[in-house]
Amino acid sequence: MKTKLYNENFAALSTKQRTLFTELLEYACQSLEPSKTKKELAEQRYMSVGKWLADSDDPMFEGVEIYPQGSQRIGTTSKPVFRAEFDLDFICYLPNAEGSHPDICRQKVIARIKENGNFEDLVSELNRGCRLNYADEFHLDITPAIPDQNNANEYGAISVPDKKLKEWKASNPKGYAEDFDLIAKLEPKYIGFSDRMFANAALEAKNIEELPKHTLFKGILRRAVQIMKRHRDLLFFDNNNYDGKAPISIIITTLAASAYKELVIQQSFNNELEVLLTVVESMTGYIETKVVNGKIEMWVTNPKNRHENFAEKWNVDSKRVEAFHYWHSDFVEKLRELASVTLLPLIKEKLNTLLGEGSSSKAIEKHFEVLNETRESNNLFIKKTGAISTVATATPVKANTFFGK
């Protein structure tokens, strides 16, 4: 596995500096997630849609099941850039619709939803289903599905309609999510002490009061995916050269999970930040090439449905391949630049280009909020440079927020 990005840019930094970067990335990711209230509202919305579909007298809807898929299901939701609505995806599984034409099935689901006056004006058609647009809240994308038609022999395998192709396509969001959950639970092996263990041991040995408890990654794989998706959204926003060509989330997620799964089994690390950076650096190595019907194709295979190629559009549109590598190269470069600065104002500037100004500001504010909570008990101070000190010649931490907020 590659470790060049970490070894050449982050390894020489102090433990405190690496931990600070880890904290700020974690806080930024927290700011990208929907609030508890919004999550509860989304659940109410989709359950209401599910009940309406289930109450239909049409035999096709008998036994209907609505369940989440994508980022909402696997915990990698990221707030969209420059708009309030989150994108939430659901499967409308119709076990009794097997044998129906994909377009007829899709249209009947849309028609049934529109029969409800509360939903009618919210619905717009998509290639594989429909979208309910709740202004300033979220988009509910609903994809009809029937039992697997491709003999995948995998738990959760289904087939979904494709309007353009007028055929059923292989999929398995339920199996994919469970597989991702298992991978995300894998714990990396660390060499000796992790940064936090080392810092705590040093504090105990010297009888020094501990600094505020650091918040490390809440699941390295999930945070890596969130960070990558956020940077992608910023990079391709209003980008005319790659309009509509940005790498889709499922490709980023699958490649990151493949890299993470292998590296945590085969390799040991110094800290959480090294794990994240190694995932980023190594993920492109999991793009496959296969010979299909005599042609060489690029594949990012659904690990739980070998018939589904998440990168199928790459084989008919080389601009999408170019866009992926453009994004990955830029992301690595932005991480490299982050390691070149040490003062918080400069770190914030670098985070702006990586995750957006809003997320970086909230991360910095959260960092100081944690310091402020313990300023009296730990006698902490903030130097005018932004560095942490415990000597009284520095400026005391004030009970406020920073960077103009």
Side-chain angles (χ1 to χ4, degrees):
M1 286 290 183
K2 299 177 181 179
T3 56
K4 184 177 179 181
L5 178 60
Y6 175 82
N7 289 337
E8 293 186 357
N9 300 278
F10 291 86
L13 299 178
S14 68
T15 296
K16 183 186 294 183
Q17 193 70 21
R18 289 194 300 266
T19 303
L20 174 62
F21 285 141
T22 305
E23 283 184 344
L24 294 177
L25 291 173
E26 167 64 24
Y27 293 149
C29 286
Q30 291 176 13
S31 75
L32 296 174
E33 297 178 333
S35 66
K36 180 180 178 182
T37 300
K38 187 159 283 193
K39 288 179 181 178
E40 292 174 347
L41 183 59
E43 184 173 357
Q44 293 173 11
R45 301 285 198 212
Y46 94 78
M47 289 182 69
S48 177
V49 174
K51 185 177 186 304
W52 175 251
L53 292 171
D55 288 344
S56 172
D57 293 331
D58 189 326
M60 190 187 84
F61 291 96
E62 184 177 346
V64 63
E65 177 188 359
I66 301 286
Y67 57 86
Q69 65 164 331
S71 60
Q72 182 191 10
R73 166 59 183 83
I74 65 176
T76 60
T77 301
S78 180
K79 186 177 181 180
V81 175
F82 307 125
R83 63 179 173 86
E85 296 91 353
F86 283 84
D87 295 318
L88 306 177
D89 300 307
F90 298 88
I91 289 293
C92 173
Y93 180 63
L94 300 161
N96 217 35
E98 190 169 13
S100 64
H101 188 278
D103 207 44
I104 293 176
C105 178
R106 187 182 62 84
Q107 288 291 350
K108 290 184 76 170
V109 169
I110 294 172
R112 171 58 182 169
I113 294 174
K114 285 184 174 181
E115 287 176 7
N116 188 313
N118 295 321
F119 305 142
E120 183 179 7
D121 294 334
L122 306 177
V123 179
S124 59
E125 288 194 35
L126 299 175
N127 185 49
R128 292 193 173 187
C130 66
R131 169 173 292 172
L132 275 70
N133 297 282
Y134 291 92
D136 299 322
E137 293 179 4
F138 34 72
H139 300 150
L140 294 186
D141 289 357
I142 300 176
T143 302
I146 63 172
D148 173 48
Q149 304 295 295
N150 297 98
N151 300 313
N153 296 319
E154 288 277 4
Y155 163 77
I158 56 175
S159 292
V160 298
D162 189 296
K163 178 182 178 181
K164 293 179 181 178
L165 299 178
K166 298 187 182 300
E167 64 182 31
W168 292 104
K169 300 290 289 185
S171 190
N172 190 351
K174 185 176 287 188
Y176 181 96
E178 293 196 5
D179 187 63
F180 184 90
D181 288 343
L182 292 174
I183 295 172
K185 287 179 182 178
L186 296 174
E187 290 285 343
K189 298 184 291 292
Y190 295 105
I191 301 168
F193 292 105
S194 68
D195 278 351
R196 175 181 284 178
M197 294 171 63
F198 182 81
N200 289 346
L203 288 166
E204 292 173 4
K206 295 183 179 180
N207 196 28
I208 301 173
E209 282 193 281
E210 183 180 355
L211 293 177
K213 187 176 181 181
H214 296 306
T215 302
L216 300 185
F217 288 128
K218 183 183 178 181
I220 299 173
L221 177 57
R222 287 188 170 89
R223 290 316 194 202
V225 171
Q226 281 183 293
I227 294 166
M228 287 188 275
K229 287 166 57 178
R230 179 63 171 184
H231 172 261
R232 172 209 57 192
D233 292 345
L234 288 167
L235 184 65
F236 289 98
F237 180 80
D238 205 22
N239 187 323
N240 293 328
N241 190 39
Y242 293 108
D243 186 31
K245 310 297 183 181
I248 58 177
S249 296
I250 195 66
I251 288 178
I252 293 174
T253 304
T254 302
L255 294 176
S258 297
Y260 183 84
K261 180 180 180 180
E262 186 169 336
L263 73 88
V264 297
I265 294 173
Q266 296 184 355
Q267 196 167 327
S268 296
F269 299 88
N270 292 288
N271 49 65
E272 292 84 353
L273 189 60
E274 184 182 8
V275 181
L276 183 144
L277 296 172
T278 307
V279 167
V280 171
E281 192 173 13
S282 303
M283 60 188 292
T284 56
Y286 294 87
I287 299 171
E288 303 172 86
T289 56
K290 296 183 179 181
V291 177
V292 180
N293 297 325
K295 296 180 180 179
I296 298 176
E297 293 186 355
M298 303 182 74
W299 275 68
V300 177
T301 307
N302 182 341
K304 303 308 291 182
N305 191 332
R306 67 185 185 277
H307 299 286
E308 184 173 18
N309 177 18
F310 295 136
E312 63 179 351
K313 291 183 179 180
W314 286 13
N315 297 302
V316 294
D317 187 353
S318 62
K319 196 74 172 178
R320 292 180 180 274
V321 183
E322 181 183 318
F324 173 84
H325 290 290
Y326 164 67
W327 160 76
H328 186 261
S329 296
D330 189 82
F331 185 56
V332 170
E333 182 59 30
K334 292 293 192 300
L335 290 170
R336 187 177 289 114
E337 291 174 1
L338 182 63
S340 68
V341 294
T342 56
L343 301 182
L344 277 171
L346 298 179
I347 292 173
K348 181 180 181 297
E349 289 182 8
K350 298 300 181 183
L351 284 175
N352 285 349
T353 64
L354 185 69
L355 299 170
E357 186 172 355
S359 297
S360 63
S361 294
K362 289 179 180 179
I364 297 291
E365 290 172 4
K366 178 70 173 179
H367 169 73
F368 280 116
E369 180 184 318
V370 172
L371 289 179
N372 287 340
E373 288 175 355
T374 55
R375 66 191 186 281
E376 292 181 1
S377 61
N378 288 324
N379 194 30
L380 287 177
F381 299 85
I382 298 295
K383 292 181 179 179
K384 288 188 170 78
T385 59
I388 300 173
S389 175
T390 55
V391 296
T393 56
T395 304
V397 177
K398 297 180 181 179
N400 62 3
T401 56
F402 293 76
F403 296 100
K405 293 289 186 177

